[in-house]
Structures are given as C-alpha cells and as structure tokens.
Amino acid sequence: MTSSNLQNLRVAIVGAGPAGIYAGNILTNALRQAQGPDAEPVEARIDLFESLPAPYGLIRYGVAPDHPRIKGIVNSLHEMLDAGTTRFIGNVEVGRDISIAELQERYDAVILATGAIRDAALDIPGIDLPRSFGAADFVAWYDGHPDVPTEWPLDQREVAVIGNGNVALDVARVLAKHAVDLRPTEIADNVLAGLESSAVTDVHVFGRRGPGDIKFTPIELRELGEVPDVDIVVHDEDFADADPANAANNQLKVMLRILNSWRTRESTGASRRLHLHFYHSPVEVVGSPETGVSGIRFERNEPVGDGRVQGTGQFREFAVQQVYRAVGYYGTPVIDAPFDVRAGVVSNVEGRVRDAATTGDEDAPVVAGLYATGWIKRGPVGLIGHTKSDAMETIAHLVADAEGGRLTAPTVDGDVLDLLDEREVAFTTWDGWLALDAHERELGATHEHTRERVKVVPRDEQVQISRGALVP
C-alpha cells in the first residue's frame, strides 16, 4: 500500500462529540498503518470544528449528571485530543462562521459528525400545547447546555414522560429525584436551584409496548428503584407476558426480574412517586393554548407476538400538567450539506455523502471528499461502540479515495484560523478547553458540596475563560 496520495492530507471534521473525535483518531492510526517501513511518516493535518466552546458533544451535554461512569468515556476522548494529532477548534458553527464550500477549498476531505440533538416529532393533537416539551431540550437544560434558557418550569405536580428508552428513563429519574441527591454531581448551579424548587410529586412513564421490549439497561433500571424517597409504582395488568423465564437474553431476564420485584414492593409513603405504564400509545395531549396541558390520552395496547402490539379500542386519560416526549432524536443538518429530511441523516452510502438534496436518492452520485459518521450518518441508534465501527467504515473509504486519487486537492493555502481571525470569530482551542476544564474543577473543589466540577453554563463566560480574557 502506497502513501503518496496520503502525504500531507488535510481533513476537516465537523462535530467534536465521540463520533468526530473517534474519526480523527482512527484516521491518524490508519495513516500510520498505511506507510511502509521505508516511507516518510504520514501525518494528516486534522482540524476538529465544534459549534460549542467545549468538546465531547452528548457526553458533556446529553448524559445525566448522576451517571458519572458513562462520562468516564471522556477520559479516553481526552487522551485522543491531548495527543495533538487532531486540532480542536471550538465555538465555530460550520454554515455560519465558515461554509462547507470554504472547508472544501482548504481541505482534501470533510467529515460531518454533527450528531442528532433535536427531538423526533410526535404527531398527535395537542403536542405543541404550552407545558409540552421535547426531552432533548430538558436534557440540554439539566446538562448545562449554553444555548438553552437557564431556567426550566418545574411548577407542576404531575408529569408524563412518553418513551421507553434510556433518555425517557433519565428524564423521569431527574424529575423524580430530590435535588439534595444531585448535589455531589457536576450539575450546574442554576439547574440545582431549579430542581430544589421543583413542585413535581408524580412522574408517569408511558411505553407503547410491554416490559419485555424496554430499551433500558439493567444498571439504570436497578438504580431507578434505589432513588431515595421515591416509590416505584407498577401495574399487574402490564405483566401478563413478562415472565423472566421467557426472556430472549440474560440482560432482559435481569430487567424483568427487577420489574417483577417492584410488583410486590410495599409503598414507603415517599414524597414522590415514579409510575411505569406499559402498553399505552399516546393519542392526544389534552388542554388548551390558554391554560396549557391538563392531561394526556392513550389507547391501551395488547401484544400480538414478536414484540408487536395492537390497539384494543380502550382509551384512558391521565391528569398531568406537563408532558415530555422522549421518542428519539432527529439529525442536525449542516447548511449546504445534502440532508435526507425523512430519515434525519446526511444522505450517504457507507459514509460517503450522496448529492441528494432531500430524499436520500440511492442513485445520486457521491460528493468527492465529503463524508459522514456517527448519528448523522446512520440515525440516532446504537451505543459508543457502534460509533467506533461507524468511523472505521467511513475512514476506510476516505483512505481508499485518497489512495485512488479520488479527492480534490485544496485550492486555498494558509491556516483556517487566519480566516476565522479575519471574521472576528472567537474560536476556542484545546489549551482553552484545558483552562476551562481546570476552572470548572476548581469550582467543584471549593464548592459547599464538593464535586468533581461545577459546569460553567453561559457561552460568553466559557469563551472568555478559554481565551484567557476572564481570569478565574
């Protein structure tokens, strides 16, 4: 394998979550493997663009603060960026501060790794009423995202969460949990204050299918039953087909055992309750534009085999004053990049972007030098391990295209940072992130309740600390 077409390769990656960081690391390793024993070292110039001032994407802004073990993935991502083979350029929105076309002029290849941060739609009447929310917005709030309001309305007692995946479980747990139990986490001060004043007493989680089809993990489900001063409420009618002995795998067997154990658990008289409902399909959010949500209506389902359900024609209405839909995420498009609006992904084949404007046309030609990886490539499904394999597939095609002479050489020389400086874009760097990281850790160490860190939320403050304009 020759490396002549790989020498001095320049690559831009858009998105500094796990997908983008893995792509940069895998590309670096692939180029090192491509060089022969007598070849000159091949080192790509890889720039990682991120619209937020800080790296790590959904690991920083999508994982609940009381799940630090998942955030441990940051340690490996930190090592990849700290190696210096990929340059982090934060607080730069591709499509606004610099265009895709301008990146293509300066790089041999551009990889889109923008992920999916918006809520998927739920098309039922009343879903847009006041006090009806997308779960992604609430997650962004409690994770200290700089682009959402610093306050969240938690002034209602009864809340519904629609969905049976990990996001629904996280949202329900944070809503039901007492703020005092979140004080030791890296939760932002404004979020902690909001949760301390919460009026929530009852959180209802609704799934369309049965207990045997939940998308949780055993650890998260077990944790749910250990939340202090919160009673778990389940209903016998939902467990006709929930025998652990019939579970398809050991993980599901464990979860069914946990759920079944809650059926016989005595109420402790806790001040808050978390209700789990199965076989309920939402049909309408009840209320008015003037007064907001007052309830939610469901059709009762029944199993018909192979995880499928059908409606029974029986309808039920629950009195709630807030609704959170956690039915999935939708891809985040990049301005001027082909986007399949139906699938919510960049139109692509195995990571090579297709020139299909809106429909993902399988006959559309690929765009030379433009690639995708992560959720924006395959949709918002799978775990971190899938993101790695995703990036490996995309990078394999990029390297093959480079070796095959199918990439267009850059037509503009010079460092992209000079262009950003000309436009007065206040970009952040890896050294800037290290400064912000140290500042947040210092806040945690000196806080009344010792924490690993206390997140800085305002974007301007993050940028100023990262650029040395605000001395901690």
Side-chain angles (χ1 to χ4, degrees), residues 90-111:
N91 202 42
V92 175
E93 184 172 331
V94 173
R96 181 194 64 191
D97 299 317
I98 188 170
S99 68
I100 287 285
E102 289 171 325
L103 291 180
Q104 291 172 315
E105 291 173 346
R106 290 164 173 78
Y107 297 89
D108 297 274
V110 177
I111 304 173

Side-chain angles (χ1 to χ4, degrees), residues 99-153:
S99 68
I100 287 285
E102 289 171 325
L103 291 180
Q104 291 172 315
E105 291 173 346
R106 290 164 173 78
Y107 297 89
D108 297 274
V110 177
I111 304 173
L112 305 178
T114 51
I117 60 173
R118 296 188 296 174
D119 285 286
L122 180 61
D123 188 17
I124 60 173
I127 197 64
D128 295 323
L129 285 174
R131 298 199 301 269
S132 175
F133 306 104
D137 292 334
F138 182 60
V139 170
W141 174 74
Y142 69 58
D143 269 329
H145 196 292
D147 296 338
V148 299
T150 57
E151 296 183 354
W152 191 272

Side-chain angles (χ1 to χ4, degrees), residues 166-304:
N166 283 330
V167 174
L169 201 64
D170 283 348
V171 168
R173 188 184 65 256
V174 171
L175 285 167
K177 204 167 189 175
H178 291 274
V180 65
D181 298 311
L182 290 166
R183 287 177 183 171
T185 73
E186 64 176 39
I187 194 167
D189 284 339
N190 67 293
V191 179
L192 184 62
L195 292 172
E196 285 176 339
S197 63
S198 172
V200 172
T201 59
D202 290 83
V203 180
H204 298 262
V205 183
F206 296 92
R208 188 174 61 86
R209 295 187 290 181
D213 296 295
I214 56 177
K215 303 301 181 185
F216 311 144
T217 60
I219 293 176
E220 289 189 323
L221 192 63
R222 186 177 291 112
E223 285 179 347
L224 195 67
E226 298 171 352
V227 178
D229 196 29
V230 176
D231 276 337
I232 304 294
V233 181
V234 295
H235 305 275
D236 287 341
E237 64 175 351
D238 292 336
F239 286 83
D241 293 323
D243 186 348
N246 298 327
N249 53 63
N250 287 333
Q251 177 170 292
L252 180 57
K253 182 179 295 185
V254 170
M255 290 193 290
L256 288 178
R257 285 174 177 167
I258 295 170
L259 287 169
N260 275 284
S261 71
W262 291 344
R263 297 170 63 185
T264 57
R265 180 187 288 188
E266 294 292 332
S267 171
T268 67
S271 64
R272 293 182 180 178
R273 289 154 295 281
L274 203 160
H275 309 254
L276 300 181
H277 306 269
F278 300 96
Y279 296 118
H280 283 74
S281 285
V283 295
E284 181 183 7
V285 177
V286 180
S288 71
E290 294 75 27
T291 60
V293 173
S294 61
I296 184 166
R297 193 165 182 250
F298 294 88
E299 182 177 10
R300 176 74 178 174
N301 292 330
E302 62 183 4
V304 294

